[in-house]
Amino acid sequence: MTTHFIGVDIGGTNIVCGLLDERLNLLRKTKKPTGAANGADYVLNLIASMIDELLAREQLTRTDLGAVGMGNPGFIDPVRGISLSSANLKWENVPVSEKLGALLGGIPVFIDNDVRMYTYGEAAAGAGRGYDHVMGITLGTGIAAAMINNGQLYYGSGFLAGELGHVPLDGESALCGCGMRGCLETIASATGIARIAREKLERGESSILAEWFPGERRNEITAADISRAYDEGDALAKEVLQFVGRHLAKGLAWAITLWSPDVIVIGGGAANAGERLLAPMRETLMPLILPMYRNRIVIKLAEMNDDAGVVGSAAFAKTRVSA
Amino acid sequence: MTTHFIGVDIGGTNIVCGLLDERLNLLRKTKKPTGAANGADYVLNLIASMIDELLAREQLTRTDLGAVGMGNPGFIDPVRGISLSSANLKWENVPVSEKLGALLGGIPVFIDNDVRMYTYGEAAAGAGRGYDHVMGITLGTGIAAAMINNGQLYYGSGFLAGELGHVPLDGESALCGCGMRGCLETIASATGIARIAREKLERGESSILAEWFPGERRNEITAADISRAYDEGDALAKEVLQFVGRHLAKGLAWAITLWSPDVIVIGGGAANAGERLLAPMRETLMPLILPMYRNRIVIKLAEMNDDAGVVGSAAFAKTRVSA
C-alpha cells in the first residue's frame, strides 16, 4: 500500500482538488465552483466530497491518504490550521484543518495561504526546483509574495510576512483594495495593468486598444489584451508594460535585498506578459541592487501555473506528516 | 566547574572582548586597537591573547570555556566560519573559526557579521527580549539590518540578506560607499546625517551649527552635534532629522512588510538622536504599512549599545555548542 496526498487550491471562484501519489505525481484533478456564498460548512463539505470522488476514481479509499494540504486566500494561521480572515471567501476564524479533518474521518489537514502554497509547488517541482532560496510572487488580481529557505517557508510575526503588493510607491496614488494609495498592487497586478491602459485611453492617447475596445467596452480590457496589442507594435501597450516593469523592479529590489533569494519565480495572470514585462523590469532592477545580488539572482517565469497551488499544498502536507 | 563563554566584537578601529558566565552575565571586558594594518594573523593572535588575559584575571583557564563567538564587519560565511570579505579589516577569505580555534587549543569559534551579533544580543538580553520576531538595525557609519525569528537568524542566499542600507531611494543621488547613488545609508547613517547638515550650511542656510563650526570646521560636525542643535531649537537641525526620519521610514516600511517583525530595535551612533529622529520616522511610516502591521509593530531604541555585540556573540556561540 502506497500513501497518497491531496492538494486543494481554493479561490473565491473555483476549488481545484488534486490527487497525488507518494512521489507527488499529479494523478487526477477536479474543479468545481466554490459557492462561497453558501458558507464555510458548505464549502468544506464540498471539498470533502471532491476528495472522496477523486479517491473513488482511482479505486482508493481514505485509508490510502497520508494528508491533505490546502492553499487558501487571505490570512492563515498554518500552525493552528485556521483561516483567520478571507475577504474572497468571507471567512473569519474558520478552523479549516479541524473541520475538514473531521469530515474526512481524521486525516491530517494542513493549510497555508495561496501564494505560499503556490511558491512551495514551484520550489518543489517547478521553476524553483534545485534552488535553496526561492521567492515566489503572483501577479494576479492582487500581488503577494512568499519566501522559502531550504524548504522552510518564511512567516514572520503573525504569519504576515510577504505583503509585497502593499507598500505605497513614491509618486503613485491609485486607491488600493487595502485602503492605502499607490501600492505596487495597484500597478503590477493584472487589474493594475488593465487600469493603467484604460486611463491612458481615457486621456485620449492613441492605441490599437481603442479600436478593439471602443467606448465603454474599454472596461473589458484585460492584461492579456495589452500583451496582444504590444505584439502588434502598439506604443501605448509598450509604455504600459515598461511603466509596470519599472515599478515592479522597485519592489523586487527591496525583496532581493532583504530576503536574498537565489531565484524569483513570477506567476499569476500578469506574468503571461513574459519578457514584455520582465525585460523593462530587469533594466530598472539591476542598478537598484548591490552587485553581489545582481550577479547571483535568477528571475524566471513560473512553470506550473494552474497546478502549482495543488502540488504545493500536497507537498507541504507531505512534509508535515513526514516531519 | 561552570562553562564560560567569550564574545568578541571586532571593528576597523577596536576589538572588544568580553567574558561571560554560563547564564551570559558579562563578567569582564577588555578593549584594544585592532591594528588591522598588521594583517589577519596579527589580529587573531591579539584576540587570543586578549581572551587568555580575560581568563587569567578571573582565575580561569581555557578549559573553562565552552565556546567563542565573534561579530565581524563585512561578509561572513557563518557555517564555515570564514570572513569572506571585509573592507574595514582588509580581509579576504580568512578562515577565522579555524585559525582562532587553533590558537586557542581547539575551542569552538563561531562567527557572524556584526549587525547579526548585535541583534542577537539585543534579542537575547536587550530591547528585543521577550519578542519572537526581532529585527535589528544599526545606524552607524553605515546601515545594516538583521532579522531573528524564534531565535534563528535569517540569512538567505549567500548569507547576504538584510542590506537595508543599500537600495537607492527615489529622488536621492548622494554617492554611496557601495558605488550606487541615493542609498538609505547615504541619508540615515551617522555620516549621512552629518553630510546633509553640512550641505545645508554650504548652501548658506542659517543654523546655530554655523556658529559652532565656522568655515572649514563644518567638516567636524557629527550626528551628535545635530541633536545638540535640535535641542537648542535650531530649525536646520530639525529639518535634517525630519528628512532623515522620513527616508528611514521608507526603508522600514519594506522591511516590516517583507519580514514582519514584532519589534524593531534601532541602534548605532545615529540612534542617539532618539525621538528627535524616531518621531518624524513614525509619522511617515504608519501610512506606509498595512493596518495589521501598524497595530502590532513596536519600535524601540537599543538598550545594550556597546555590549550588544559582545553579549550577542557569546549567546550565539552558546546556542551553537548547545545545539
Side-chain angles (χ1 to χ4, degrees), chain B residues 286-306:
Chain B
M286 292 304 156
L288 293 180
I289 56 177
L290 287 168
M292 65 190 191
Y293 301 126
R294 221 176 281 160
N295 297 336
R296 63 170 58 218
I297 191 72
V298 176
I299 300 173
K300 300 171 75 174
L301 292 171
E303 289 173 4
M304 303 173 68
N305 293 314
D306 289 351

Side-chain angles (χ1 to χ4, degrees), chain B residues 132-152:
Chain B
D132 291 333
H133 306 275
V134 181
M135 174 180 162
I137 171 169
T138 51
L139 310 176
T141 314
I143 290 183
M147 182 73 206
I148 297 176
N149 296 285
N150 300 310
Q152 301 295 310

Side-chain angles (χ1 to χ4, degrees), chain A residues 75 133 147 149 154-158 160-164 166-170 178 180 250-251 253-255 257-262 287-290 292-294 296, chain B residues 75 133 147 149 154-158 160-164 166-170 178 180 250-251 253-255 257-262 287-290 292-294 296:
Chain A
F75 297 101
H133 306 275
M147 182 73 206
N149 296 285
Y154 181 88
Y155 289 110
S157 175
L160 297 176
E163 292 293 336
L164 183 70
H166 298 289
V167 178
L169 300 174
D170 275 348
C178 74
M180 301 195 293
K250 291 181 185 180
W254 288 103
T257 300
L258 289 165
W259 275 350
S260 191
D262 293 310
L288 294 179
I289 56 177
L290 287 168
M292 65 191 192
Y293 300 125
R294 220 175 284 161
R296 65 169 56 217
Chain B
F75 296 102
H133 306 275
M147 182 73 206
N149 296 285
Y154 181 87
Y155 288 110
S157 176
L160 297 176
E163 292 293 336
L164 183 70
H166 299 290
V167 179
L169 300 174
D170 273 347
C178 74
M180 299 196 293
K250 291 182 185 180
W254 288 103
T257 301
L258 290 165
W259 275 350
S260 190
D262 293 309
L288 293 180
I289 56 177
L290 287 168
M292 65 190 191
Y293 301 126
R294 221 176 281 160
R296 63 170 58 218

Side-chain angles (χ1 to χ4, degrees), chain A residues 26-173:
Chain A
L26 185 55
L27 304 179
R28 189 180 284 273
K29 275 196 303 184
T30 176
K31 182 172 172 174
K32 290 201 173 161
T34 306
N38 300 312
D41 285 335
Y42 166 86
V43 174
L44 294 174
N45 272 291
L46 175 61
I47 292 170
S49 72
M50 290 169 78
I51 292 171
D52 283 333
E53 188 189 313
L54 279 172
L55 290 168
R57 294 265 196 103
E58 293 287 328
Q59 296 175 314
L60 297 167
T61 68
R62 290 175 180 178
T63 57
D64 297 306
L65 279 188
V68 173
M70 185 169 161
N72 296 254
F75 297 101
I76 306 297
D77 179 336
V79 171
R80 295 188 297 153
I82 294 174
S83 168
L84 300 172
S85 162
S86 168
N88 283 344
L89 300 176
K90 311 250 185 298
W91 286 7
E92 289 282 331
N93 293 312
V94 177
V96 175
S97 292
E98 184 190 319
K99 287 196 169 198
L100 184 58
L103 290 173
L104 293 169
I107 293 165
V109 175
F110 301 95
I111 68 171
D112 209 327
N113 81 26
D114 42 15
V115 68
R116 292 198 184 115
M117 291 303 202
Y118 184 96
T119 304
Y120 208 86
E122 287 287 343
R129 195 169 40 179
Y131 294 94
D132 291 332
H133 306 275
V134 180
M135 173 179 162
I137 171 168
T138 50
L139 310 176
T141 312
I143 290 184
M147 182 73 206
I148 297 176
N149 296 285
N150 300 312
Q152 301 295 309
L153 277 158
Y154 181 88
Y155 289 110
S157 175
F159 314 103
L160 297 176
E163 292 293 336
L164 183 70
H166 298 289
V167 178
L169 300 174
D170 275 348
E172 296 305 314
S173 61

